[in-house]
Amino acid sequence: MTHRTVGHPAGLPDDPRANVTAPTPECPVEITLSALHGRWTTLVVRELLRGDRSYSELRAALPMLSDKVLSDRLAHLGEAGVVERDRRPGWPPRVRYTLTPTGHRLGPVLQALWDWGAEVSARDRGAESGPETGTVH
Amino acid sequence: MTHRTVGHPAGLPDDPRANVTAPTPECPVEITLSALHGRWTTLVVRELLRGDRSYSELRAALPMLSDKVLSDRLAHLGEAGVVERDRRPGWPPRVRYTLTPTGHRLGPVLQALWDWGAEVSARDRGAESGPETGTVH
DNA sequence: CTGAATCCCTGCCGATACTG
DNA sequence: CAGTATCGGCAGGGATTCAG
């Protein structure tokens, strides 16, 4: 997809991808959603935003996440350029998962997702207290 | 899920939802992803960010989107509090779809998604030209 | 410890047809 | 014009098992 729209200040005002009429892989929004696609994916990224992790540390942090899905997610995030695997030599096998610089930049994206959801849930709870804001990265 | 992590300035520094260990519906990030969930959803929102639309205007703007999926998306976005239906009396039936104030605030979210994807695709094309930035809302 | 392979089941989405 | 009803294919993801 693509998302250029009405009145606005800066930016590339006429990126052709802002006018795609179907969910194509070239649209930046699709690229990002594709990287974050799948259940558990954002939680894995959150965990790695907090620091590098081993496979078993990720399992411990997300106990309900199965091995299959965890390796699927790590492989997918690897292909997306978000996560890097550092295989340390020796025995037993030690592997560290870390975010690439690109992956690190997902922090503001998750932050934006958090902020909107927090605002909605605050509104749904009825109270109109001060605006919420968490910090992901 | 939830996404509070390492160093950061403002915000609710200890929202318990930042530490959920499974994809629960209470996590703000999940709330947002749930609202945007499904193919074509972001494109429908983009179209409505540009202004209110009738059903057939949406179909015309997104020709490859089937009736079934379009009404699914509009219903889902309605339940999510993003879209409102204004049924105008008379014949033939005239219905306008508009974003709620909450829906309007998805603009920055889509912008964040756009920015990350644009940066990635720029990097993938190899050139390191100036940073891209589109404007959604 | 770090995964990959398999199986099965569910839910999404696309196409087609039909209604108020 | 603005949708709903129905069906089928396929991919996502959970549990289990096996391998380096």
Side-chain angles (χ1 to χ4, degrees):
Chain A
M1 302 129 182
T2 231
H3 298 270
R4 178 68 26 65
T5 41
V6 298
H8 50 283
L12 47 170
D14 37 27
D15 190 313
R17 293 172 297 183
N19 294 310
V20 295
T21 63
T24 70
E26 300 86 52
C27 173
V29 171
E30 283 300 309
I31 292 171
T32 308
L33 290 178
S34 164
L36 295 177
H37 172 256
R39 206 150 115 79
W40 295 96
T41 305
T42 56
L43 281 176
V44 171
V45 173
R46 177 199 68 180
E47 220 42 53
L48 292 173
L49 276 169
R50 294 171 168 173
D52 62 308
R53 294 284 188 273
S54 69
Y55 188 87
S56 23
E57 284 170 343
L58 288 171
R59 281 205 311 192
L62 306 170
M64 315 288 286
L65 174 55
S66 74
D67 277 340
K68 176 196 187 289
V69 176
L70 176 54
S71 31
D72 282 355
R73 292 300 172 266
L74 290 171
H76 179 246
L77 290 170
E79 292 168 14
V82 170
V83 162
E84 186 153 15
R85 281 167 61 148
D86 296 334
R87 186 178 299 272
R88 323 253 306 194
W91 189 265
R94 296 265 164 189
V95 181
R96 294 252 107 194
Y97 290 94
T98 72
L99 291 181
T100 63
T102 295
H104 204 72
R105 282 184 223 112
L106 280 173
V109 175
L110 295 181
Q111 183 69 53
L113 294 172
W114 174 284
D115 288 346
W116 192 86
E119 208 169 337
V120 167
S121 66
R123 176 175 59 69
D124 287 354
R125 282 195 304 274
E128 77 292 53
S129 46
E132 299 191 20
T133 294
T135 301
V136 174
H137 161 77
Chain B
M1 326 170 145
T2 233
H3 299 271
R4 178 68 29 61
T5 41
V6 297
H8 51 283
L12 47 170
D14 38 27
D15 190 312
R17 294 172 298 184
N19 293 310
V20 296
T21 62
T24 70
E26 299 86 50
C27 173
V29 171
E30 283 301 308
I31 291 171
T32 308
L33 290 178
S34 163
L36 294 178
H37 175 256
R39 205 163 180 246
W40 293 99
T41 305
T42 57
L43 282 176
V44 171
V45 173
R46 177 200 68 182
E47 219 43 51
L48 292 173
L49 276 169
R50 293 171 168 173
D52 62 307
R53 294 283 188 273
S54 69
Y55 188 88
S56 25
E57 284 169 342
L58 288 171
R59 281 205 311 192
L62 307 169
M64 316 289 287
L65 174 55
S66 75
D67 277 341
K68 175 196 188 290
V69 176
L70 176 54
S71 31
D72 282 355
R73 292 299 171 267
L74 290 171
H76 179 246
L77 289 170
E79 292 168 13
V82 170
V83 162
E84 186 152 15
R85 281 158 72 139
D86 296 335
R87 188 178 299 271
R88 323 252 304 192
W91 188 266
R94 297 265 164 189
V95 181
R96 295 252 106 194
Y97 289 93
T98 70
L99 291 181
T100 63
T102 295
H104 204 71
R105 282 183 222 113
L106 279 173
V109 174
L110 295 180
Q111 183 68 53
L113 295 171
W114 174 284
D115 288 345
W116 192 86
E119 208 169 338
V120 167
S121 67
R123 176 175 60 68
D124 286 354
R125 282 196 305 274
E128 76 291 56
S129 48
E132 299 191 21
T133 294
T135 302
V136 174
H137 161 76

